[in-house]
Amino acid sequence: MSVGILAHLLGKQPFKELAAKLAEYHFPYVQLALSKAIADVDFSLGKISPGLANEVGGAFADNRVRIAVLGCYASLIELDDESFRHNVDRFKEHLRNARHFGAPIVATEVGVPADRSNLPKYWERLNQALEELVEEAERWGVTIGLEAAQGHLIDSPETMAETIERFPSSCVGVLLDPCNMLNASNFDRHDEIIRTAFELFGSRIVSAHAKDVKREADGGGLTVTAAGLGELDYPLFWQLLEQHKPHGFVTLEQVTEEQCAAAARFVRESRAKARV
């Protein structure tokens, strides 16, 4: 079984050096957040072109590392018109050029509401953004990967399901991180939450993240750690992932460089057991 990594976890550096380093760790694919991972290129709005994308993507391909996902973590719920337009246009630019990087997916968390008493307006903004982005994704044949996260507008299996039901396009999918749906109040039923996620949108998962969580010693919260070092029911997660999306992309998150090899081995070996 294969496993990738969030490229910036190996440090922000020139793209040719980054590609070579990923190859040294034997990662066959990555999730690449351009501005977080690459030090020698300006990726600000308006700078990305097919030529630039081919140059970066080619360096990764030369090292036999595929770019599975482009990370474009931009809030899609901003109420300020200028910020909203900048973020949507930036995401569109990633969608237009993704194929030149060799990436089939552009992923994001959707944003944290600054005022939770005003949630209807944030949902209106998200719907407005996705209407534009889905049209752009369909034009270029690229998939949008939406990721739930605690504190964000989409923060649970239910809010994710409601969102993708409004946008049934085959160009809208889910980047599933089971830990992102968990908090101190619901961790004791995390098996139920994982099962619910697969029941609601298992067919629309396009990639997954692998990290882990464990209860803090005082019982007051959760600590996020590398995959295999916490309490997540990974046998259940792998079983359901392989059932719904066998051989799907899985990328490591929340690892130090020193933890990479052990975390990758944990994912490969434990995931392989789910296929026996």
Side-chain angles (χ1 to χ4, degrees), residues 7 10 14-17 24 31 64-65 74 82 91 96 105 130-131 135 138 141 183 198 219 221-222 268 274:
L10 295 185
F15 67 88
K16 291 183 180 179
E17 295 177 18
E24 289 176 7
Q31 177 169 322
R64 297 187 178 182
V65 179
E82 185 176 348
F91 203 97
R96 287 195 298 272
I105 302 161
L130 288 176
E131 285 173 4
E135 181 180 352
E138 290 177 340
N183 54 53
F198 281 97
L222 300 178
R268 287 194 301 267

Side-chain angles (χ1 to χ4, degrees), residues 23-96:
E24 289 176 7
Y25 278 96
H26 304 291
F27 286 113
Y29 55 83
V30 295
Q31 177 169 322
L32 179 65
L34 299 170
S35 297
K36 285 186 176 183
I38 295 175
D40 58 341
V41 180
D42 179 3
F43 292 107
S44 57
L45 182 61
K47 298 289 188 180
I48 302 176
S49 67
L52 173 59
N54 269 287
E55 187 74 13
V56 174
F60 280 73
D62 288 345
N63 284 277
R64 297 187 178 182
V65 179
R66 290 167 293 152
I67 302 172
V69 181
L70 278 183
C72 182
Y73 286 88
S75 172
L76 303 178
I77 65 170
E78 295 300 309
L79 301 185
D80 175 75
D81 288 341
E82 185 176 348
S83 297
F84 176 80
R85 178 46 46 201
H86 177 276
N87 291 350
V88 172
D89 287 348
R90 182 166 172 265
F91 203 97
K92 284 183 176 181
E93 188 172 65
H94 279 64
L95 290 170
R96 287 195 298 272

